[in-house]
């Protein structure tokens, strides 16, 4: 028979909630809330099957509730294309060689970005961003 400790559920919830701070997709937060619900079920003495049921139900419910909120919060976020448009016309420094078959890396304004080119460009060369 599978058993889950209180510590397992707490650690699962904590890891998911901390990772949510990095990903901000609200998916891991839902799993974290499910982990908290399962930890409470464990603390109250419910058997492992009921703990899994609590985990699944609360995860699904919170996922359903949080999706509209996530869409609303990210609605005004700029697209990746919009954020990279600012680099068109700027100079960058090649930090990883670029050739027609492989992407390389360039550094622009202190940020590293993947880059492609129709020609070979060596490390250390200066380039100008033409399009994104």
């Amino acid at each position: 028979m599978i058993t889950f400790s209180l510590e397992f559920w707490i650690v699962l919830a904590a890891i998911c909630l901390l990772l949510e701070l990095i990903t901000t997709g609200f998916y891991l937060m839902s799993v974290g809330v499910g982990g908290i619900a399962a930890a409470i079920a464990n603390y109250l003495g419910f058997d492992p099957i009921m703990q899994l049921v609590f985990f699944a139900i609360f995860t699904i419910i919170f996922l359903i509730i949080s999706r509209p909120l996530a869409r609303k919060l990210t609605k005004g976020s700029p697209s990746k294309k919009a954020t990279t448009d600012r680099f068109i016309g700027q100079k960058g420094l090649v930090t990883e060689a670029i050739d027609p078959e492989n992407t390389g890396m360039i550094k622009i304004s202190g940020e590293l970005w993947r880059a492609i080119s129709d020609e070979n460009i060596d490390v250390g060369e200066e380039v100008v961003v033409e399009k994104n």
Side-chain angles (χ1 to χ4, degrees):
M1 177 94 184
I2 298 173
T3 60
F4 301 102
S5 67
L6 179 62
E7 293 81 11
F8 168 79
W9 291 117
I10 292 171
V11 168
L12 175 71
I15 289 171
C16 288
L17 293 174
L18 288 172
L19 288 175
E20 179 61 37
L21 295 173
I22 299 169
T23 63
T24 66
F26 284 89
Y27 293 106
L28 291 173
M29 183 183 297
S30 299
V31 176
V33 169
I36 292 169
I40 292 169
N42 180 293
Y43 181 76
L44 295 175
F46 285 93
D47 64 87
I49 299 298
M50 284 306 295
Q51 292 172 37
L52 284 173
V53 169
F54 271 73
F55 174 74
I57 289 173
F58 277 85
T59 299
I60 291 168
I61 288 172
F62 198 79
L63 190 61
I64 291 168
I65 292 170
S66 68
R67 291 318 307 152
L69 176 64
R71 270 190 234 106
K72 184 177 179 181
L73 291 175
T74 58
K75 185 178 181 182
S77 297
S79 68
K80 183 178 179 182
K81 182 172 173 34
T83 58
T84 56
D85 279 345
R86 64 188 164 114
F87 294 126
I88 294 175
Q90 288 194 14
K91 293 179 181 178
L93 184 68
V94 177
T95 60
E96 182 181 301
I98 307 167
D99 63 60
E101 288 86 33
N102 298 302
T103 63
M105 297 293 288
I106 61 172
K107 190 172 194 174
I108 305 172
S109 301
E111 296 179 34
L112 289 175
W113 290 89
R114 286 249 160 243
I116 59 172
S117 176
D118 294 335
E119 56 191 65
N120 292 330
I121 305 173
D122 293 324
V123 174
E125 288 189 46
E126 193 173 85
V127 295
V128 176
V129 177
E130 293 179 353
K131 60 183 178 179
N132 60 0

